[in-house]
């Protein structure tokens, strides 16, 4: 199969172009097609789905198939698809993130937002993260990423749906299996630490204590904490369809006009 016939796989993250997880992901997917990495030039964790509109972006060609961008993960996907790549990618894979992206935290994650942006552009996408801290084991996450990428390239994904994968920080032989899950809910205990600088002015650190989660049995957190890989389908439609009828019953109107 020639170069042009091989699937084009775009890889991104939010930990930055130099992260070990990004390298592990790119290497794991290389047998499946032509891999191009377009990632932020520095760590952009918790950047969310932000897009840079106030200044121009610069992309640096580091090596064959490797580009760094002085912007957010969403910038990287947009720039890659619309400016850097010679053809439209068949798949976007984001990660491997250094730390979990579960439950409500997906709204903050630049890695998950990479996959969201790709999905908005009609490209099948998934994000993969290692849940844990300390010394990360990327071998397991890289292995499931390759298996998943092969399936997505073969089957595609439902419309407006991306996959969010969280992998316990364990070697492959210690994994119990793969569980299809729903998003968990975090019990918030965030703290804001106030300090005073040498000039007497206050500054603040947004920090967090140990994260607690609701335990309901079928969520990403429950799976990962029990030694399973969590595979969560996320949908771009944030509409609460069940609430539409109730809101219509409120009869809201403006200037006495009818409500719809």
């Amino acid at each position: 199969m020639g170069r042009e016939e091989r699937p084009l796989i775009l890889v991104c993250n939010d930990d930055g172009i130099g992260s070990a997880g990004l390298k592990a992901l790119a290497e794991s997917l290389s047998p499946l097609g032509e891999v191009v990495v377009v990632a932020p030039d520095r760590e952009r964790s918790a950047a969310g789905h932000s897009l840079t509109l106030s200044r121009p972006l610069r992309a640096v060609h580091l090596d064959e198939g490797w580009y760094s961008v002085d912007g957010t993960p969403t910038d990287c996907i947009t720039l890659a698809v619309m400016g850097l790549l010679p053809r439209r990618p068949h798949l976007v894979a984001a990660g491997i993130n250094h730390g979990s992206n579960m439950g409500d935290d997906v709204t903050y994650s630049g890695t998950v937002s990479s996959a969201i942006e790709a999905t908005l552009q009609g490209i099948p996408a998934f994000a993969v993260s290692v849940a844990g801290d300390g010394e990360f084991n990327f071998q397991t996450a890289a292995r499931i990423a390759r298996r998943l990428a092969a399936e997505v390239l073969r089957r595609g994904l439902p419309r407006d749906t991306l996959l969010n994968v969280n992998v316990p920080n364990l070697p492959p032989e210690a994994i119990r299996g793969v569980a299809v899950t729903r998003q968990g809910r975090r019990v918030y205990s965030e703290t804001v630490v106030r300090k005073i600088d040498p000039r007497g002015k206050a500054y603040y650190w947004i920090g967090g204590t140990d994260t607690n989660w609701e335990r309901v049995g079928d969520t990403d957190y429950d799976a990962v904490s029990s030694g399973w890989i969590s595979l969560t389908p996320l949908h771009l439609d944030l509409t609460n369809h069940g609430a539409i009828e109730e809101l219509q019953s409120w009869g809201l109107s403006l200037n006495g006009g009818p409500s719809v």
Side-chain angles (χ1 to χ4, degrees), residues 9-252:
I9 302 171
L10 173 60
V11 174
C12 188
N13 73 347
D14 72 1
D15 289 312
I17 193 72
S19 79
L22 182 71
K23 182 179 179 181
L25 180 59
E27 289 178 349
S28 73
L29 300 181
S30 61
L32 302 179
E34 179 186 355
V35 174
V36 177
V37 177
V38 182
D41 62 354
R42 68 201 75 175
E43 183 177 347
R44 298 284 186 173
S45 296
H49 195 204
S50 58
L51 192 65
T52 301
L53 301 176
S54 59
R55 61 173 178 83
L57 295 170
R58 299 186 184 275
V60 178
H61 185 202
L62 302 175
D63 202 349
E64 183 178 2
W66 282 74
Y67 298 85
S68 69
V69 176
D70 63 342
T72 68
T74 301
D75 292 330
C76 292
I77 298 299
T78 302
L79 186 59
V81 174
M82 299 185 181
L84 291 177
L85 298 182
R87 54 195 172 109
R88 186 174 176 83
H90 297 81
L91 172 69
V92 168
I96 298 170
N97 196 70
H98 296 227
S100 65
N101 280 309
M102 299 186 292
D104 311 312
D105 289 348
V106 300
T107 60
Y108 305 120
S109 168
T111 294
V112 175
S113 292
S114 300
I116 289 174
E117 182 61 27
T119 305
L120 284 169
Q121 298 192 33
I123 304 167
F126 67 84
V128 59
S129 307
V130 173
D133 49 26
E135 184 175 349
F136 287 101
N137 182 330
F138 295 113
Q139 181 183 3
T140 306
R143 186 176 297 185
I144 190 61
R146 183 187 300 180
R147 290 287 304 276
L148 182 60
E151 290 299 315
V152 173
L153 286 170
R154 183 166 71 93
R155 300 172 182 267
L157 286 173
R159 181 179 174 85
D160 294 336
T161 300
L162 61 134
L163 302 179
N164 184 37
V165 184
N166 283 275
V167 182
N169 193 20
L170 299 170
E173 62 272 14
I175 297 295
R176 297 177 64 184
V178 178
V180 179
T181 61
R182 63 184 180 88
Q183 276 184 266
R185 291 300 302 271
R186 190 150 61 98
V187 179
Y188 281 89
S189 56
E190 299 287 349
T191 58
V192 175
V193 178
R194 182 179 186 272
K195 292 184 177 294
I196 303 296
D197 68 18
R199 297 184 179 181
K201 296 183 178 180
Y203 66 95
Y204 302 87
W205 281 103
I206 297 178
T209 57
D210 291 340
T211 302
N212 295 312
W213 296 83
E214 294 180 0
R215 302 301 297 266
V216 293
D218 61 350
T219 67
D220 44 17
Y221 174 77
D222 290 301
V224 169
S225 61
S226 299
W228 294 76
I229 295 172
S230 168
L231 176 63
T232 309
L234 302 180
H235 194 237
L236 293 185
D237 184 1
L238 300 181
T239 307
N240 183 349
H241 292 274
I244 289 178
E245 186 175 346
E246 177 184 348
L247 292 173
Q248 288 173 335
S249 72
W250 290 9
L252 295 174

